[in-house]
Amino acid sequence: MIPVDPTFAVRGGEWSIGLGDAAIPGIPGAGAADAADKGGTGFGGMLADQVGALEKLQTDAATGSRALAAGTADPTEVVMAVERARLGMQLASQIRTKAVDAIQDIFHTQV
């Protein structure tokens, strides 16, 4: 049996973590500029961007599935697109559940 190298399949920009100018303690060169100071849209804009990215993943998976059914797509690429969409939806669902739990905890806190 051939050992599987996990770094072999994780190439490309979608696997990188964009840190931008976020302040990271202990990492020299990581800027401390805030997105709001740079004219960014803040948390709401970031959330909207991520929902848009999730929608694009879902659309890409659906388009790839149709192309695979028509016989015009590479099965490997379609499987990767469907898996990205599935994992993205699972992550969004878990984040939503955690946010709802946190809000419920806040509302149930007695002062």
Side-chain angles (χ1 to χ4, degrees):
M1 179 175 250
I2 299 173
V4 177
D5 181 11
T7 61
F8 180 70
V10 290
R11 305 259 193 264
E14 71 269 9
W15 295 101
S16 65
I17 299 173
L19 298 175
D21 289 333
I24 302 171
I27 298 180
D34 189 38
D37 294 341
K38 296 173 67 176
T41 56
F43 180 75
M46 185 270 311
L47 188 60
D49 290 345
Q50 294 306 313
V51 168
L54 179 62
E55 182 180 1
K56 183 179 180 327
L57 286 174
Q58 297 293 322
T59 303
D60 291 346
T63 303
S65 297
R66 282 189 223 104
L68 183 63
T72 60
D74 178 27
T76 305
E77 293 298 322
V78 174
V79 168
M80 290 295 291
V82 169
E83 197 61 22
R84 279 188 206 107
R86 185 182 70 83
L87 290 173
M89 189 58 74
Q90 282 181 349
L91 177 63
S93 176
Q94 288 177 1
I95 290 171
R96 180 206 163 270
T97 301
K98 293 291 184 181
V100 168
D101 288 344
I103 289 171
Q104 286 176 350
D105 286 345
I106 290 170
F107 284 139
H108 291 167
T109 302
Q110 294 181 359
V111 180

